């Protein structure tokens, strides 16, 4: 009995030895600060530009001006688990910054907190290396270019009710040059480990669209898989989530009670794909909420609420494409120049949107970054990584100013 008890203790003792002998994170390793971060932003020092507000708030005036005018490279802001809290300020400074209140030295960085509570929380986090030993990495934050990192909590804070549809973007590490940006993203429970700045990839051929938002791709799985998997059986899940698609958001006319509608064109794959989709739609009809009424006429199916408004519908298009509409009737004519039947398949997901126009209609989350909301045109391409690796993303923004 004693021998058995001793054998049981061996793995526990071994684990304890490994824990106490594991190397501590090196001073200045940003991974230690990102382990609980929701957002992190790196910006280049530009002496010709005005002094940033946070520098004025956190640093003595003469020191702030001297560091800003003489500085090179970049400086950072890091938000904690709650993106609405005050960020940490990180800047490269020598001994002249040692007397800055509410601050500490972390390798080459002087880290300045907003208040005493923020400094205390930071010190406790850095004294517990075990909790961030396997944290995310974003090497782009250490480069001289602008960079951006976010975690799941940061995504929720900035995208609000859009976040359930952004599962592939739960964590991200982007590098920015002018209006172009590129980097890596991860979804699910994986940890982003972008250990080296990613070279700027070649831009795809962007689709053109008259709609304020166009999204197309070779599969719906990255976007809707986590939401629909619990609701679908294996065959239905494969049929729906693996179909190439094109999605467009259109503004509705004034007589429609809904401000905008979503038009999704699916291209079922396989010889029996249409028959399989028909069976899926028939099953859907038997599971509709009691308050919705289904009306089908001339190949067009509409779901109406008790007031008679069309909430959704579907119909088959040419070449066996299935059109699904939310917020309007699929029998309506599309806006001039908007065509859903001739989309080109691309690897991954491609987005072309007009954020400024969407924001004017109140269709963007209020906390979305201002630089994005002011963009006249936003284009992005997401491509899944191999064997569970991080996905690659590239994009460009255009403004009218």
């Amino acid at each position: 009995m004693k021998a058995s008890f001793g054998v049981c203790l061996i793995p526990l003792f071994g684990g304890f030895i490994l824990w106490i002998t594991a190397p501590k994170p090196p001073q200045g390793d940003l991974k230690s600060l990102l382990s609980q971060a929701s957002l992190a932003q790196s910006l280049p020092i530009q002496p010709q530009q005005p002094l940033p507000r946070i520098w004025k708030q956190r640093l003595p005036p003469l020191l702030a001006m001297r560091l800003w005018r003489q500085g090179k490279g970049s400086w950072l802001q890091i938000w904690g688990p709650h993106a609405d809290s005050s960020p940490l300020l990180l800047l490269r400074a020598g001994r002249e910054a040692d007397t800055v209140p509410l601050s500490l030295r972390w390798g080459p960085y002087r880290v300045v907190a907003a208040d005493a509570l923020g400094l205390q929380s930071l010190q406790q986090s850095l004294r517990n290396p075990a909790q961030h030993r396997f944290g995310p990495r974003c090497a782009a934050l250490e480069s001289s270019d602008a960079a951006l990192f976010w975690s799941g909590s940061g995504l929720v804070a900035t995208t609000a009710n859009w976040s359930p549809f952004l599962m592939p973007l739960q964590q991200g590490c982007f590098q920015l040059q002018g209006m172009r940006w590129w980097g890596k993203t991860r979804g699910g429970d994986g940890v982003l480990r972008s250990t080296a700045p990613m070279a700027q990839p070649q831009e795809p051929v962007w689709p053109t669209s008259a709609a304020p938002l166009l999204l197309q791709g070779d599969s719906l799985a990255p976007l809707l898989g986590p939401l629909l998997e619990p609701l679908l059986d294996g065959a239905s899940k494969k049929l729906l989530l693996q179909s190439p698609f094109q999605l467009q958001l259109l503004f509705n006319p004034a007589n429609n009670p809904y401000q905008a509608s979503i038009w999704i064109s699916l291209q079922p794959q396989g010889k029996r794909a249409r028959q399989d989709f028909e069976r899926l739609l028939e099953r859907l009809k038997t599971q509709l909420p009691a308050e919705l009424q289904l009306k089908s006429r001339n190949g067009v199916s509409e779901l109406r609420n008790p007031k008679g408004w069309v909430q959704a519908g579907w119909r088959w298009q040419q070449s066996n494409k299935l059109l699904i509409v939310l917020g309007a009737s699929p029998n309506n004519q599309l806006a001039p120049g908007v065509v859903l039947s001739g989309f080109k398949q691309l690897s991954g997901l491609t987005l072309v949107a007009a954020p400024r126009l969407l924001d004017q209609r109140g269709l963007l989350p209020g906390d979305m970054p201002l630089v994005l909301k002011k963009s006249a045109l936003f284009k992005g391409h997401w491509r899944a990584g191999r064997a569970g690796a991080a996905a690659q993303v590239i994009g460009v923004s255009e403004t009218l100013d």
Side-chain angles (χ1 to χ4, degrees):
M1 179 69 179
K2 292 182 179 179
S4 299
F5 181 71
V7 170
C8 292
L9 287 178
I10 290 176
L12 294 177
F13 180 74
F16 176 73
I17 293 297
L18 290 175
W19 181 77
I20 64 175
T21 59
K24 295 182 179 181
Q27 289 278 321
D29 183 3
L30 291 180
K31 181 177 66 172
S32 304
L33 299 176
L34 296 182
S35 60
Q36 299 185 47
S38 58
L39 290 166
Q41 180 184 40
S42 173
L43 294 169
I45 292 180
Q46 299 176 300
Q48 69 277 14
Q49 297 295 324
L51 194 67
R53 178 185 300 177
I54 191 171
W55 283 53
K56 297 178 181 178
Q57 295 171 340
R58 306 284 179 89
L59 303 174
L62 294 179
L63 176 62
M65 187 60 67
R66 185 166 65 252
L67 292 175
W68 183 252
R69 288 178 176 175
Q70 298 175 356
K72 295 180 181 180
S74 60
W75 60 282
L76 296 96
Q77 297 180 87
I78 298 181
W79 286 262
H82 307 289
D84 57 351
S85 60
S86 298
L88 298 171
L89 169 64
L90 278 72
L91 55 141
R92 290 176 172 87
R95 292 182 178 179
E96 72 271 26
D98 286 348
T99 59
V100 172
L102 303 173
S103 73
L104 56 79
R105 165 68 55 191
W106 187 247
Y109 298 103
R110 171 60 52 177
V111 186
V112 190
D115 49 43
L117 184 60
L119 179 62
Q120 181 182 8
S121 177
L122 171 64
Q123 291 170 329
Q124 290 176 348
S125 175
L126 295 178
R127 282 198 297 263
N128 186 11
Q131 72 179 18
H132 46 64
R133 188 168 291 143
F134 304 104
R137 294 290 302 270
C138 181
L141 291 173
E142 303 178 39
S143 70
S144 58
D145 292 322
L148 180 67
F149 164 85
W150 71 87
S151 65
S153 57
L155 183 71
V156 171
T158 55
T159 60
N161 54 358
W162 285 38
S163 58
F165 302 98
L166 303 176
M167 296 303 292
L169 309 178
Q170 287 295 301
Q171 296 180 70
C173 176
F174 280 9
Q175 190 166 338
L176 302 91
Q177 284 186 354
M179 302 305 293
R180 299 180 184 277
W181 41 269
W182 64 93
K184 296 182 178 181
T185 67
R186 281 202 73 99
D189 299 325
V191 177
L192 183 67
R193 299 190 184 279
S194 182
T195 57
M198 176 180 164
Q200 183 175 359
Q202 184 177 0
E203 287 189 36
V205 177
W206 302 108
T208 57
S209 173
L213 187 149
L214 164 71
L215 175 66
Q216 63 183 34
D218 55 7
S219 169
L220 279 168
L223 294 173
L224 300 182
L227 296 176
L228 296 183
E229 281 188 4
L231 307 177
L232 301 172
D233 58 31
S236 300
K237 180 168 58 180
K238 182 178 180 181
L239 178 67
L240 180 60
L241 297 182
Q242 300 304 322
S243 297
F245 75 97
Q246 185 184 76
L247 178 153
Q248 294 194 58
L249 183 146
L250 300 176
F251 298 137
N252 283 335
N255 60 353
N256 192 308
Y258 304 107
Q259 188 174 1
S261 53
I262 296 175
W263 300 65
I264 307 173
S265 181
L266 296 172
Q267 177 66 75
Q269 302 295 292
K271 295 181 180 180
R272 298 180 53 85
R274 177 160 180 168
Q275 293 90 323
D276 292 338
F277 256 108
E278 291 283 8
R279 285 195 293 270
L280 179 61
L281 293 172
E282 287 299 323
R283 194 186 319 160
L284 172 66
K285 294 177 182 179
T286 64
Q287 301 174 355
L288 293 175
E291 64 271 15
L292 292 182
Q293 183 180 11
L294 175 65
K295 291 188 175 182
S296 298
R297 183 179 180 183
N298 297 328
V300 177
S301 297
E302 296 179 342
L303 294 175
R304 296 177 178 267
N305 65 13
K307 295 183 178 181
W309 300 342
V310 178
Q311 292 195 214
W314 62 84
R315 65 178 169 88
W316 288 96
Q317 299 175 290
Q318 297 178 352
S319 303
N320 282 335
K321 290 184 176 66
L322 177 62
L323 175 64
I324 302 174
V325 181
L326 307 176
S329 170
N331 205 29
N332 293 349
Q333 295 296 318
L334 291 173
V338 179
V339 180
L340 280 170
S341 60
F343 65 90
K344 178 182 179 182
Q345 292 184 26
L346 292 173
S347 175
L349 301 170
T350 302
L351 172 70
V352 177
R356 179 181 297 180
L357 190 57
L358 293 170
D359 187 51
Q360 290 172 352
R361 297 292 188 105
L363 296 176
L364 290 185
D367 290 331
M368 188 166 283
L370 188 60
V371 65
L372 177 59
K373 294 168 71 172
K374 292 176 64 176
S375 297
L377 186 63
F378 179 91
K379 297 181 287 189
H381 180 64
W382 177 94
R383 186 177 65 189
R386 295 182 179 179
Q392 295 186 2
V393 181
I394 182 173
V396 61
S397 301
E398 299 177 9
T399 62
L400 296 178
D401 296 336

